[in-house]
Amino acid sequence: MLVEEKNALTEEIELMIKKLGKKRSALLSILHGIQMKHRHVSEYAQQEIARLLDIHPVEVFSVLSFYAFLNATPKGRNLVRICRTISCDMKGKDIIVRAIERELNMKIGHTTSDNKFTVEYVNCLGLCDEGPAMAINDQVFTKLTPEKAVKLLSKVK
Amino acid sequence: METKTKKRTGPVIFSGYERGTAIEKALNINREDILLEIRESKLRGRGGAGFPTSTKWMLTAAALSDEKFIICNADEGEPGTFKDRVLLIEYPELVFDGMVIAAHTIGAQKGIIYLRGEYEYLLKPLQEYLEGMRKDNFLGKDILGKKGFYFDITVFLGSGAYVCGEETALIESLEGQRGEARNRPPYPVNTGYMGKPTIVNNVETLASIPHIIIKGSEWYKKLGTGKSSGSKLFSVSGDCDKPGVYELPWGTKISELLELVSAKNTKAVQVGGASGFCYNKTQFDKALAYEDAATGGSIMIFNESRDMLRVLNNFMEFFVDESCGQCTPCRIGNVKLLEGVKMIQKGDYTFAYINKLKELGKSMQVASKCGLGQSSPNAFLSILENFNEEIFNRENGGTNEN
Amino acid sequence: MKKYLTGKMGVPMKTKEISRAPVSQQAHVIQKPEHPEYIGGSITVEINEKKVSVPLGTTILEACRQNQVYVPTLCHHDDLCVAGVCRICVVDVEGMRTLQAACAFPITAPIKIRTSTPMVRKARKHIIDLLLSEHYGECYSCFRNNNCELQALAKEYGVDHYNFGHVEKQRYEIDSSSYSVVRDMDKCILCKRCVRTCIDLQEVGVLEAIDRGYKTHIGTFGDKPLAEVICINCGQCINRCPTGALRANDPRDEIWEAIDNPQKHVVVQTAPSPRAAIGEEFGIEPGHSFTGEMNTALRRIGFDRVFDTNFTADLTIMEEGTELLIRLYKALVKKDTSVVIPQFTSCSPGWVKYLEHFYPEFIPNLSSAKSPQQMFGALIKTYYAKKHNIDPSNIVSVAVMPCSAKKFECNRPEMTSSGFKDVDYGLTTRELAQMIKEAGIYLPEMPKSHFDDPFGDASGAGLIFGATGGVMEAALRTVIELVTGEKVENVFDNMNIMPVRGFEGIKYAELPITKVGPIPKLLVHVVPNWDWLKGATLKIAVAHGTANAKRVMDSIKAGGKFSLCHFIEFMACPGGCIGGGGQPIPTSAEIRRKRAQAIYAEDAALDVRKSHENTHVLKLYEEFLTYGPCGHTAHKLLHTHYTKRGKFIS
C-alpha cells in the first residue's frame, strides 16, 4: 500500500469518526463504510480504526470476522449473492448456481480469475415469495431463471 | 425485485392509515392512558416470541433515566419471513408513527431502526422518508407543537448476522460489538442500548400501534383469539400459487390459510421459519395463534414432491452458519444435529443415536443462552417426529443427495 | 493511603468508561455490595427447598457457594467478569421456561432454585459430551493431565465414552511462535477466559473470539502467530485456561540434555516466587515455602550449582537505587531536561514489553538496570566463570522463574553482554515441578539445603521482590538507610513498610526525608552533593497488573498525580511475581495472598533484610564491579536498553 493511499484511508476514517463520534458504537458503521468503498477492510484500515477509536485492533478484527458482509481480504469487483434458503432452494436455486458457475467458469464461494465477480451463497434475502433470488452488489433480483441470471451478470461492468 | 402496485387489504395494518394522525391523537392523551390502552389491546410482540408489548413499554416508562431508546428491530432474518420488508417499503408511516408514539409514551429521545444488511437497498428510501418526517415536524424538536417533545430516528445497517434479530445481540451490534446475546437479567427495559432503558420492538408490532391508538383497544381486541388479539402478517412462500404477505386475524387455521394461498397437495407446513415447527396433514387444523401454532409469521409450504430431509438439512445448515458461537449447546449442538441429518441421508445411522440427538435437542432448548439455540432444534425435533415414516422408511438412505 | 480505583483482593474493579472489554463481557459484573442494606438489603431465596438469605444482587452461583451447594463451572473464574457462555452451571429457576446460568443470574426476587433436577443433570451431561466431542487430543499427552477442569468435569459426570463422537484430526496448527506462550486451539473449549484475561483483566488486547458459529475460535489480530502481535508474554491467560489450550514454551528437554552432558556446567538460579508456590504442584496448600527442599531437589536433578536470584535482586536494588539518586540529582538539581522522572522499575519483562508496545515514548523513564535474572546471567558467564576457571561457552544457565515472559527476556538479542547468551533457559515453576517429578522426587520430603556460593546469600529485601510492592519496599529499606543514616526498623515497625504492601491495584506513598547522611563510601561519589535531598519528599507508587499500570501511565501522560512521582514500581502480573504466568494453576486472589504471606514470613525470619547489608554484594563491588554501582563495569554488564515497538502490526 502506498503512503498516499494509507493517508487517504486514514483521512476517510477520521472523517467518518467526525461524523459518527469517537465511540465504540460507531465501529460497525465505519467498517461498513470502508467495506462499501474498498470492498474489504484491510489490516491497515482495521488498525487505523482501532487507533482512532482507542480500542484494540483484535477487537476490530473480531467484530469484522463475525459479520458475513464484512471481510478482511478483497473480493471481486462485483459481489453476487445467491439465496440458499429453502424457499429459493425449492424454486431451483441449484440450477441458477450451476448456470452461473458454467458461465463464469468458476465455483460458488470463489472469485473469477479476472476479479470481476465473487459469487457466494447468502442466508435468506427475505424475498421468499419471489424466489429464486439473488443480489448483485446492492441490487436484488427475483424470480430468476438460469437465462435471466446469466443475462443480468452480463450487463454488469 | 418486483414493485407491487396491487392494493393490500387486511383488518388492521392494511386497513388504511393517514400519516401522523395517530401521533396527533397520542400527543393529546397522557402517557398512562396510552400504556393502559396498549395493555388493554393485549398486543404481543410480533417478532415471534410474543412478549406483551405493554409490559415492555411500562417497564421502560417506569425506569428512571435521563436517556431512553426505542429500537425498531428490522433485522428480519428468519427464513421465510419478508413482511417487514413490505411494511418498510409500503407502510413506513405506520412503523415510524408507532416509534414516535412509543417515544412520547416512555419519554425517549432517540430511535434507531436496525435494518438488516440484506435490505441495504431500503436504506436510502427510509432515510429520505425520515427526512420528510423531520420537514413536517413529525420528528425533531417540539413535535407537532408539543413543547419539549424531542425525538429523532436514525437507520443503522446490519452486516449479515441472523442472531442480531435477538434483541440483546442487536443491542450489542449497535454498540459496535459482535452480535452475541447478553446474559439476562438485566433486561433491555432496564439496561439496554448504552446501558439505558430501551424498548426493542419488531417492525410489525410498532406498525400495529397507530391503529390501536386511532381505533382503540376494544376494536382491536375483537379480532383474534383470547390470548392472541388483533391480526398478524403472514409471509407465505413455498409450494402455493399465491405466495406473499397476508394479513389475517389470529386464530386462522393452517388449512384456511392454505386454501387462501391456493396450495395444493400440501404435505407439510413449516410455521415460524427455520426456528419454528413443521406440521403434517393431520395437524393442519391447528390455529395460528400464540396458544397453538405460534409464529412470527413465516409460513413455508411443502407439497408431496418435497423431501423433508432436504428441508431439514437446509435449516440445520442455516443454524450452524448463523449461531453466534458463544455458548456450547448452540455452537456444537447444531453441528451434531446436522451431522445426524446427513447420517440419515446416507442411511448410515442407528435409532439409538438419533434418539440421543433428540435428547440433545431438548437440552439445547433449555440450556442455550439465547432464543437462537433454544429454538434451533425445533425443526429437527418436529420434522423427525411428524414425518417419521417418510424419513425412516427411505430406501438406502433416500433419494436426495445434498 | 488513598485507594485508587481498586477492587476487592487486588482485582481491578472497572467502570464502563475505563474498561475496554467488549460490553457483552463486562457490563454485567456483579459486585458484592459493601453495605447491602444501603441498596436494598437482603433477600430470601430457596435453594433446593432450603430457605437462605443473600444480599440483593448476589448471583445464583455465589448464593449456592455461600450455602455449600456445589454448582459446576467452566467459563467462570473468580478473577474475571461474567461470561455465561459454557452453560455448565445451568440451574432450574421456578417459573422460567429455560434453565438459567447460575454464574450470570443476579438474584433480585425471591426465586426458587433447584440445582439438580433431571433436566439440569441431562443438560450438563450434554454440554460435557459436546465439549469432549470437539476436544482434540488425549489426556495423557497433555500437560494439564490431572489439573484440567474439563477432565475433572468429565470424571465428575462419569463420562466413560464419547456420546457424540470425538474429533480425530488436528484442526488447528499449534502456535509455538512465541518464546513464552504456546497456543493449541484444538484443546480450546471457547470459555473465553483468556479473552477476558487479556482484554479485561490485563487490558493488553491480544486475544479475541474470531469468526462465528462453528468456526469460532480464539485468535489474534489477523489470526497471526503470537510472536507477531503485541503479546507481552505475561502468561496470565495460561493461568486461567481451564484446559491445556494455553501453555508455556517448555525447555525441559533441552535442559535435561544439558544436565546429561558431562561437558556442560549447568547452573540454576531460582527467583523468590517459585519457592513460595511450588508446593502446590505437590498437593500442598498454598502459602508454604519450600526453599531448602527445592535446593536439594535441584541438586538431585543434576544441576551443578544452585544459586539464589535474590542475590541479584539485592544487586538490582543497589544499581536501580543509585540510578534513581543520579536521575533525581540531574533532573531536580541540575535541571537537566534530558533526564526524565519518574523512574520506572524494569524487572518485570511483561511490563517492559507492555511499555515498549503501548507507551514507547516513556522508554527513557525505564530504569536501565537489567532484571535480576539477566544480571545473574551476565555475572555467571563472566565473574563466576573466571573465578572458577570454567569456559563460559560450557556453562548452561537456567533460571527458575514464576514467569512466562522471562523466557522472552532471556532471548532478547541485547541480553548477551557476557559475550554469550547470558541466560540460556527460563524455566517456570510448573516446569520445574515437572522435572522434579520426572526425577522421581517428592519435593515436600526433601531434606533442606542452602544455596551455593558465591551467590548463595541474599537478603530478605531480595526475597520480597516476589510480591507486589516488594521491589519498592526493598529499595526503600536501602535508600532510607543510606541517605538518612536512620535505621529502617526505627522508621517502620519490624522493617515492614506497610504502605507499599497489599493487593490494592495502585498504591501511593510519600516519604519525607528529614535528614541526610552520613552517606556510605560506596555511594558518596555518585552525586557531587547530597544536601538537596534534605527536606525533600520522596513520592512513590506501586502498580500491579497491566490494567493498573495503564491507569498510572495515563495519569502520567495527562500530567496527573502520578507524573509527580519519583519512582514507580510496575509489575505486569496481578499480585506481582507470585501471580506470574509460570506459577502453579489455578490462581485466585486467595492463593496469591497466601503465596505473598509465605514470602513475607520468610523475609521476617531472615537476619539480613536489606540489600546493602548483603556482604556478598558488597564483596562483588570490591572484587569485580570496582567502579561501584552504575559504574563502568556495572554499566556494561548490569544495564541494558530497550526497543520502541509500538502497536502497529505490519
Side-chain angles (χ1 to χ4, degrees), chain A residues 28-110:
Chain A
L28 266 173
S29 303
I30 295 168
L31 289 174
H32 195 263
I34 299 292
Q35 170 85 33
M36 290 250 277
K37 187 156 176 211
H38 303 274
R39 297 188 306 279
H40 76 296
V41 187
S42 64
E43 283 188 356
Y44 177 80
Q46 290 173 47
Q47 295 189 68
E48 282 299 276
I49 294 169
R51 182 175 67 82
L52 292 165
L53 287 180
D54 197 18
I55 57 178
H56 303 293
V58 74
E59 293 180 275
V60 178
F61 180 60
S62 171
V63 169
L64 177 86
S65 68
F66 184 88
Y67 293 94
F69 293 177
L70 300 173
N71 40 278
T73 45
K75 292 189 175 178
R77 288 198 307 281
N78 297 287
L79 186 56
V80 181
R81 297 197 186 105
I82 302 167
C83 179
R84 66 172 155 202
T85 304
I86 191 70
S87 300
C88 286
D89 180 74
M90 289 195 289
K91 299 291 176 195
K93 120 223 147 205
D94 280 354
I95 307 169
I96 310 289
V97 169
R98 274 194 292 263
I100 291 176
E101 284 180 339
R102 280 196 307 271
E103 211 67 26
L104 299 181
N105 189 26
M106 50 101 66
K107 285 278 163 222
I108 189 149
H110 292 88

Side-chain angles (χ1 to χ4, degrees), chain C residues 12 14 197-198 200-205 232 234 236 348 350-355 358-359 543-553 570-574:
Chain C
K14 291 176 206 129
T197 302
C198 195
D200 199 34
L201 185 74
Q202 290 289 71
E203 291 190 39
V204 173
I232 63 163
C234 69
Q236 290 300 305
S348 165
W351 151 247
V352 169
K353 193 153 183 266
Y354 180 81
L355 187 88
F358 290 86
Y359 299 94
H544 62 117
T546 40
N548 291 314
K550 184 179 185 312
R551 301 286 102 76
V552 173
M553 289 309 299
F570 288 101
M571 290 290 154
C573 296

